[in-house]
Amino acid sequence: MNFYKFLKNEEADFKERYLKDIWKYNHEEIEKYHDFIQLIFPTNKQSMSVFHKYYLYDVKQIEQINNDKDIRENILYSANWFINFLENKSHWKSGYNHNQLRITRIIECLKLLVSDEEAHNFYKKVTSLIDDKNTINKMTYKYWEDALSL
């Protein structure tokens, strides 16, 4: 899969979905499907959670993506799209679940491909959604903070 073309919305992923198609997912689809997060928020680490094993293993491709303004804007759009999902669902705010892992990945992606500032902004948006009534595992906060310090 060519991440550069996929993130520019010029090429489909391995399931023939364009980035713009994934952005049309409703909240139930975002929750249900697990094979898209690693594609719209790629990192330089292979995921152990999905079968497709796509990740950014080429430093040149990371630089190419990092230097493309349109891709950075698309990644930020994806981050805001996911924040909207989090704002409208509350089940992720307790215990430990896959959406908390997704948040870690998004922070890592933003830091790698966009900027430290945007990674911190995303973290602040996520944590602003959590209040005293929520019971997120302390280890989750550590993962998020570790992602910020990579």
Side-chain angles (χ1 to χ4, degrees), residues 120-133:
H120 281 274
N121 288 343
F122 182 82
Y123 172 79
K124 287 176 192 172
K125 287 177 187 175
V126 168
T127 55
S128 75
L129 298 174
I130 302 166
D131 58 32
D132 294 340
K133 295 180 250 175

Side-chain angles (χ1 to χ4, degrees), residues 37 41-43 45 75 79 82-83 86 99-127 140-150:
I37 283 288
F41 299 110
T43 69
K45 294 187 240 175
I75 293 170
F82 196 76
I83 286 288
L86 295 175
N99 286 308
Q100 295 167 13
L101 292 172
R102 289 171 162 185
I103 291 166
T104 304
R105 166 171 285 280
I106 295 167
I107 293 168
E108 290 175 353
C109 174
L110 289 168
K111 191 156 173 73
L112 178 68
L113 300 177
V114 182
S115 71
D116 288 351
E117 179 182 357
E118 292 298 344
H120 281 274
N121 288 343
F122 182 82
Y123 172 79
K124 287 176 192 172
K125 287 177 187 175
V126 168
T127 55
T140 297
Y141 283 106
K142 181 169 176 10
Y143 287 130
W144 294 347
E145 291 163 5
D146 288 349
L148 287 170
S149 64
L150 290 176

Side-chain angles (χ1 to χ4, degrees), residues 2-149:
N2 184 324
F3 274 109
Y4 182 81
K5 289 185 176 184
F6 174 74
L7 292 169
K8 279 189 78 79
N9 242 334
E10 295 175 351
E11 190 172 286
D13 69 4
F14 67 96
K15 283 192 164 179
E16 300 303 317
R17 300 171 295 195
Y18 283 83
L19 183 58
K20 63 184 177 187
D21 298 328
I22 294 170
W23 288 337
K24 292 178 186 172
Y25 281 5
N26 64 38
H27 293 154
E28 288 71 33
E29 291 168 316
I30 293 170
E31 184 64 37
K32 178 181 175 184
Y33 299 127
H34 296 265
D35 62 356
F36 69 91
I37 283 288
Q38 295 79 7
L39 305 178
I40 67 173
F41 299 110
T43 69
N44 57 352
K45 294 187 240 175
Q46 192 171 10
S47 173
M48 304 308 278
S49 301
V50 293
F51 69 91
H52 61 65
K53 306 292 184 200
Y54 291 113
Y55 71 104
L56 296 171
Y57 57 87
D58 184 352
V59 174
K60 288 181 182 176
Q61 189 174 47
I62 292 170
E63 289 174 5
Q64 181 186 30
I65 290 169
N66 190 270
N67 290 321
D68 190 295
K69 181 180 180 271
D70 293 334
I71 289 178
R72 287 193 317 273
E73 287 177 5
N74 284 346
I75 293 170
L76 289 172
Y77 185 91
S78 294
N80 287 324
W81 169 82
F82 196 76
I83 286 288
N84 178 266
F85 163 74
L86 295 175
E87 288 171 338
N88 286 281
K89 296 291 183 179
S90 62
H91 66 282
W92 66 272
K93 298 179 190 179
S94 62
Y96 182 74
N97 64 59
H98 71 274
N99 286 308
Q100 295 167 13
L101 292 172
R102 289 171 162 185
I103 291 166
T104 304
R105 166 171 285 280
I106 295 167
I107 293 168
E108 290 175 353
C109 174
L110 289 168
K111 191 156 173 73
L112 178 68
L113 300 177
V114 182
S115 71
D116 288 351
E117 179 182 357
E118 292 298 344
H120 281 274
N121 288 343
F122 182 82
Y123 172 79
K124 287 176 192 172
K125 287 177 187 175
V126 168
T127 55
S128 75
L129 298 174
I130 302 166
D131 58 32
D132 294 340
K133 295 180 250 175
N134 308 125
T135 58
I136 289 183
N137 183 311
K138 290 181 183 180
M139 195 62 162
T140 297
Y141 283 106
K142 181 169 176 10
Y143 287 130
W144 294 347
E145 291 163 5
D146 288 349
L148 287 170
S149 64

